[in-house]
Amino acid sequence: MRHLLSDYKALVFDCDGVILNSNRVKTEAFYNAAKEYGHDAAQALVDFHVEHGGVSRFRKFEYFFTDILKKDYSEVELNSIIANYAKEVRIGLLNCEIATGLDNLREATKNATWLVASGGAQDELREIFEIRGLVHFFDGGIYGSPTAKDIIVEHQLGNGNIQLPALFLGDSRFDHVAANQFDLDFVFITQWSEFTELNEYAYSNGLTKKLSLNALLD
């Protein structure tokens, strides 16, 4: 972090593993959606998912068919497996733990715009955040796939919704790549991350790590 927390004009949040303890929910949902194609194929999809945190489900299931199964697929087949995945994820997102301290962090950054830039499906996220009473925190909006995370950041910078200096709070390599590409400061939120190389990656890139959103206030 190159600035005091109170100096940031925008805070950009990843969702899974940062706001919601939902990484495990999605990992299990990827396996269950793909298991009818065999354990090895489903596990390969899970491995790809974990390695490419922050990438949309659409890209991951396309990869599943083209690179893991190495087969042609119809739009019906792709939509069916995504629907099975989404059904399981929705249940998990409605019941998983929410990060503590959002009220205090919002008060500490009351002059900043807050927005979500997620690899999760945008419509799904907006519904979940509404049901779980989180929408009011994010005055800058809630954005997700099928628009890629880096494109979301680019668009929101372009329309003035993100003003610099801005801070991106994420838990994956792709979160940092998206932030760094547009000169946003970055902090790794570690407590729920599935990024196995996080510590080494953070050290080699000189990045700040915090256990949780609440720990930003320490």
Side-chain angles (χ1 to χ4, degrees):
M1 289 172 61
R2 293 173 290 183
H3 302 83
L4 295 174
L5 187 61
S6 58
D7 289 339
Y8 286 106
K9 296 180 180 178
L11 267 63
V12 182
F13 295 75
D14 177 41
C15 176
D16 299 311
V18 175
I19 299 169
L20 298 178
N21 184 10
S22 47
N23 280 330
R24 177 52 50 185
V25 165
K26 293 196 170 181
T27 298
E28 292 176 355
F30 272 111
Y31 182 86
N32 290 336
K35 66 184 180 182
E36 66 180 279
Y37 296 91
H39 167 75
D40 290 346
Q43 187 58 51
L45 175 61
V46 166
D47 293 343
F48 181 78
H49 158 66
V50 171
E51 177 65 20
H52 296 82
V55 175
S56 81
R57 67 189 62 178
F58 305 98
R59 173 71 190 99
K60 288 172 181 174
F61 281 116
E62 286 172 351
Y63 177 89
F64 175 66
F65 286 116
T66 59
D67 292 66
I68 295 174
L69 296 178
K70 299 185 186 304
K71 70 185 289 288
D72 293 330
Y73 61 92
S74 67
E75 188 173 343
V76 170
E77 189 173 16
L78 178 63
N79 289 340
S80 175
I81 196 172
I82 290 175
N84 290 338
Y85 167 84
K87 187 183 303 181
E88 184 166 343
V89 164
R90 186 178 186 278
I91 295 170
L93 292 178
L94 286 171
N95 293 283
C96 66
E97 183 180 358
I98 299 171
T100 58
L102 284 173
D103 287 314
N104 292 335
L105 183 59
R106 178 74 269 197
E107 177 61 26
T109 59
K110 57 188 174 185
N111 295 321
T113 300
W114 277 27
L115 61 150
V116 174
S118 174
Q122 180 169 287
D123 291 347
E124 176 183 87
L125 280 177
R126 290 177 175 178
E127 179 192 15
I128 296 298
F129 275 50
E130 182 68 44
I131 293 170
R132 304 206 66 178
L134 296 171
V135 170
H136 70 280
F137 287 115
F138 301 98
D139 54 320
I142 298 162
Y143 307 96
S145 64
T147 305
K149 190 173 297 188
D150 53 344
I151 303 302
I152 292 170
V153 173
E154 183 178 29
H155 285 171
Q156 298 308 311
L157 276 165
N159 66 23
N161 199 29
I162 298 175
Q163 298 278 335
L164 299 179
L167 176 64
F168 197 120
L169 302 163
D171 73 328
S172 72
R173 186 199 314 265
F174 189 57
D175 290 337
H176 173 245
V177 170
N180 191 54
Q181 186 177 350
F182 300 104
D183 200 33
L184 275 64
D185 286 4
F186 185 82
V187 171
F188 268 120
I189 305 300
T190 64
Q191 66 176 343
W192 298 324
S193 177
E194 291 186 330
F195 181 19
T196 56
E197 299 170 9
L198 188 154
N199 289 329
E200 297 88 339
Y201 184 87
Y203 177 78
S204 64
N205 287 278
L207 300 172
T208 300
K209 298 183 297 178
K210 293 289 185 179
L211 180 65
S212 64
L213 293 179
N214 212 24
L216 287 165
L217 299 171
D218 293 345

